[in-house]
Amino acid sequence: MKKADIVKQFPVRAKQHVSETSSASLLRHHLPNDWVIRELTERDYGIDVLIEIVPDGRMTGNVIVAQVKSLASFPINGAERAYRDLKWSTYNYLLSNPAPAYLFVCSLDDQAVYWRSLRDVDRCRLADEGEGPTVPMLQIFDLSNSGRSALQKSAEFERHWPDVERAAISSLMFYHALGPIYLACRREPNSRPLPSSVQLLINQHYEYNRLLQKFMLDSRKEFDDIRNYYEKAFSSISGRGKIAITAGFAKDLLETFIGDYLDAIKFCDFTIREKHRRYWDNKYPFIISQIDSFPPYFLDEDWYARYHFDEYESETSHIKLDLFLDVDDGTRHDFRYFMTNPLNDVKNR
């Protein structure tokens, strides 16, 4: 057998395999050394690696899944690059994963790596067109120093997105009870005990605001853990017995966040019913239809005049805490007890 024939009998390393090895090495090179990268050796349908983000050396379980693509070059068009070779089936599979899904594109000619959250793509895209989604990648979505920080922040956002999404929808659905509850608490004596349903609604609004401020509005304002308000209130009580929150406590708690919360609700209303309408319509069609029928009234006009300064008494005379009170609640019959042992507000009026 001729030597040339013998050489032909050896396998040839495919260019695709070389590119995959190069992209994996490039990705590892750009990511921090303390992050954990687990390549999947089992046959996969779109997930190439699991990446555990390790902030400040702490293993917090913040895991993202990713598909890694390699290109000889990834040219920029205007202010962004766009990847257009992702199949819908792969895209849907990645999005169905409980962990946040990302696309990494390795540009071999300039040794750069670009990334984008696919959940973010899904929220922002306008239509289902072509054989796959277009994945835009702005210059900030690379793995330079600033790009790594942006990736870590993005992963934290996506980790909390299910809760943020519920907060955004719920803030609009429960908005119509916010003003009446606030007004009813202002009209009552500070020592008036509140039904548990009112307490739950106020607690929910507070937590919705915390999530929306941090993740939707990217606000730097800090809102204390609600448990701290309760602990301060409990510490002011002497003796034993039943405890209920009061109108004074609720009013003061609401006033710590209500202005910022109204701004957050405005932002959610614009985002859900205008900016990212396709995403929310597809996921919550009946809820969005309901919000369209009963939008958040008074947000831009006279909310404070109506519910803070009580200037529309002829229109709001029906608003009372008794509307939230079950006939078997018991607090109406135990009022004297609460008057002698009230849960005072944080400011100890």
Side-chain angles (χ1 to χ4, degrees), residues 269 272-273 277 281 285-297:
D269 185 45
I272 290 173
R273 297 200 298 135
R277 176 86 190 206
D281 258 344
F286 301 112
I287 290 179
I288 302 305
S289 176
Q290 178 71 14
I291 295 173
D292 282 338
S293 300
F294 295 92
Y297 297 112

Side-chain angles (χ1 to χ4, degrees), residues 86-149:
L86 191 64
K87 297 179 181 179
W88 283 115
S89 58
T90 304
Y91 175 77
N92 293 331
Y93 173 71
L94 287 164
L95 283 179
S96 69
N97 198 287
Y102 284 75
L103 174 67
F104 288 86
V105 178
C106 299
S107 178
L108 301 181
D109 64 344
D110 58 359
Q111 294 291 287
V113 179
Y114 301 89
W115 60 270
R116 185 71 186 273
S117 162
L118 294 182
R119 287 183 182 175
D120 190 36
V121 173
D122 196 46
R123 289 189 293 267
C124 296
R125 65 187 178 84
L126 299 177
D128 300 337
E129 297 179 353
E131 297 181 359
T134 297
V135 183
M137 296 181 176
L138 302 175
Q139 192 62 37
I140 60 170
F141 297 130
D142 63 9
L143 282 182
S144 62
N145 289 333
S146 60
R148 286 196 295 271
S149 297

Side-chain angles (χ1 to χ4, degrees), residues 40 44-51 61 63-67 89-102 117-119 158-159 161-162 283:
L40 300 186
D44 76 272
Y45 298 92
I47 299 174
D48 296 318
V49 295
L50 304 179
I51 301 173
V63 175
I64 64 175
V65 300
Q67 179 163 102
S89 58
T90 304
Y91 175 77
N92 293 331
Y93 173 71
L94 287 164
L95 283 179
S96 69
N97 198 287
Y102 284 75
S117 162
L118 294 182
R119 287 183 182 175
E158 299 298 355
R159 184 182 186 183
W161 174 247
K283 196 162 187 180

